[in-house]
Amino acid sequence: MRNIGIIAHIDAGKTTVTERILYYTGRSHKMGEVHNGEAVMDWMPDEQERGITITSAVTTCHWKDAEIHIIDTPGHVDFTIEVERSLRVLDGAIGVFCAVGGVEPQSETVWRQADKYRVPKIAFVNKLDRIGADFFGTIQMMRDRLGITPLVMSLPVGTEESFQGIIDLLNMKVLTWEDETLGATFSVSDIYEDLKEMAEEYREKLIETVAELDDEIMEAYLGVDPITIKMLARGIRKATLALKLVPVFCGAALKNKGIQPLLDGIVDFLPSPMETPPVEGTDPDTGEVKKVLPTERSPLVALVFKVMIEQGRKLSYARIYSGQLQAGAEVFNSAKGKKEKVARIFAMHANKRQRINEAGAGNIVGIVGLKSSETGDTLCDLSNVLALEPIGGYDPVISVAIEPKTHGDHEKLGQALAKLEVEDPTFQVKYDSDTGQTIISGMGELHLEVLVNRLKREFNTQVNVGKPQVVYKETIRESAKGQAIFEKEVTGTAHFGQVTLKLSPQKRGRGNCFIKSISDDILPADFIPSIEQGVMESMASGVILGYPVVDIAACLVGAVYKESAASALAYKVAGSMACKDALEKAAPFLLEPVMAVEILTPETFTGEVIGEINARGGKVGNLKPRGGLQVITATVPLSNMFGYSTVLRSATQGRGTFTMHFSHYDEAGNPPV
């Protein structure tokens, strides 16, 4: 079994590669094309209209004697949570790179996400038939940008419009694909005379690279023993699983060339669930860390990594790490502390499903019947309660106000938003009691646009949408003390609490913390958690415009205790009031999200593009030529980037493109009034 994900920058060809894999493994009988809106894995109407992947889709196919579970992930930065939660449960990944664009910004981001989870990877250099394709330039960019050791497994025969096939360096043969069979069959021949020298040079480099990491091959290399293909493949597999090498394949997916060797690479070089290091779980009661063994005889441990609402029903995607999951069984959700009933289990193929009665360790399945389970929750046996590490989230950076168009829509809106919130951890809904507006927040303009479309399409809820608003944060410039007394009689009981806090600024990105620096003689330790809760709740809404407060150390420096009237409620309220008092005295100011932007533009328009970035308050960091284009990297406040795609298109006669992702928070240059 292989659990793999396909990761890449937007438009590198991930979905096209997946469609070819499904066709050649016999999973699909017709090849779907992204540009026609017919790709199996892009089944959502928004995906078909835009020609991009929005939601990660799971499918299963078979190649040689392996069962391959594939997750096709989005390449757009707005949907980065889909990549994050997919990589969390996968054992291996294929990085797809465009031979023209090379290692693009989002390729780098998703590669680092895979590194975080120590996922072994292979790479596929795609689009070698395109004008400007540069296979060796892309390999060098992998070294420079990703800091990896790429192991070239195949070389292109010809390039751009003359691209014909590949040289397989492991078997030292030329593979050429037949157009009549849509690339399902290919011919194998000896290496052409004019390519022999290059092939032998790269075969020698391949052996040298693997020999440095494998003693058996090194002995054979230095001695007189022959290095067999089997021995070499074994050495490559070992080094790939140890994250020391990344085997690199090449082809042109749209022209149906190079996919079968990539499938061989998945089976030969990526791990089965049995070969991955055991995941670790924590006992919620004792805090003891235990290893989860990937066997069907062990107690059940599974991670819910994605939730979808389909036709009003909740479908939970789970990766089973150990044990067996059976339809009709009762499982325990350790995150929520609740029992759940597994009504039905499905093997998934994009939006189609096949009902199965049970699934064992290593499987990725869909489950219907889980009521409380959310993304990142652990399902386990009551006899062996464990909590796996949850899936990390991302803070939204952009908001819009929405309102229902009719009274009928008003009733449906709340339910629809609640369902979307369950599905997407990066989507947040807030009701502003001051303005009476519903504010939705997400990772970018496209993210929110897609969600509003889904409200209309799937939930039949018509809404008016306001202008995008940036999600600011608040912090302080200097240290200050605040004091508050809460003394009231509530339902006949006296409550008293007096708190003195000192707030100090912390380094950007450090977050908030609470420190107690008074002894238990001054205030019994029982009341400290109440004060901390009051302080942290107070920081959810700042004193300038009510945005969350960040990067502050709150130190409890004083308190007054009255034994007869002291209560947790009083100290919680006093902590909150003291925090607000100190915030007002500590020179508060606004922080705004700053985006890292990469712009590709023809050289003639470079001056205009840089001028526009400067006019938007951006800072240009770097300027590099890449295949007849100029690559401009810059940081720009998000508030100044709305509508930039239209401006860039008109400034570059439609030839400029850009990508951006969140970089950091910095002091707001033009704060909103």
Side-chain angles (χ1 to χ4, degrees), residues 8 48 82 118 152 172 184 190 197 219 247 375 392 444 447 541 616:
Q48 292 165 351
E82 291 286 335
R118 298 192 60 74
V152 177
M172 287 300 273
D190 291 332
E197 194 181 326
E219 280 175 31
T375 299
H447 185 203
S541 171
R616 289 172 182 262

Side-chain angles (χ1 to χ4, degrees), residues 445 616 640-652 654 656-658 660:
E445 285 182 274
R616 289 172 182 262
N640 298 340
M641 287 301 288
F642 296 135
Y644 180 66
S645 52
T646 311
V647 173
L648 180 66
R649 272 199 293 271
S650 60
T652 59
T657 60
F658 83 102
M660 69 176 184

Side-chain angles (χ1 to χ4, degrees), residues 197-335:
E197 194 181 326
M198 180 175 74
E200 278 163 8
E201 179 197 336
Y202 274 89
R203 165 79 174 195
E204 188 68 17
K205 281 183 185 174
L206 184 147
I207 293 170
E208 281 175 15
T209 308
V210 181
E212 282 173 21
L213 302 166
D214 190 286
D215 295 340
E216 184 192 10
I217 294 168
M218 181 58 88
E219 280 175 31
Y221 183 62
L222 295 173
V224 288
D225 297 341
I227 297 171
T228 64
I229 291 171
K230 221 173 193 175
M231 191 194 295
L232 198 53
R234 198 164 57 235
I236 295 168
R237 179 181 184 80
K238 212 162 96 185
T240 305
L241 299 195
L243 306 180
K244 290 176 180 171
L245 286 181
V246 176
V248 182
F249 298 85
C250 66
L254 192 64
K255 296 287 168 68
N256 312 316
K257 293 177 170 70
I259 300 299
Q260 288 90 341
L262 178 66
L263 275 162
D264 290 342
I266 293 169
V267 176
D268 295 342
F269 306 129
L270 290 178
S272 79
M274 301 298 178
E275 293 168 301
T276 55
V279 297
E280 291 183 341
T282 310
D283 186 317
D285 296 328
T286 63
E288 184 191 348
V289 176
K290 296 178 184 174
K291 282 190 163 46
V292 177
L293 299 174
T295 66
E296 296 195 356
R297 293 186 300 278
S298 307
L300 172 73
V301 178
L303 184 77
V304 176
F305 68 95
K306 180 174 168 144
V307 173
M308 285 196 78
I309 309 292
E310 280 188 0
Q311 292 154 359
R313 304 190 76 178
K314 187 172 171 184
L315 176 69
S316 306
Y317 287 80
R319 158 75 193 260
I320 303 168
Y321 283 100
S322 78
Q324 278 200 321
L325 186 69
Q326 289 170 333
E330 203 171 67
V331 296
F332 186 70
N333 181 327
S334 60

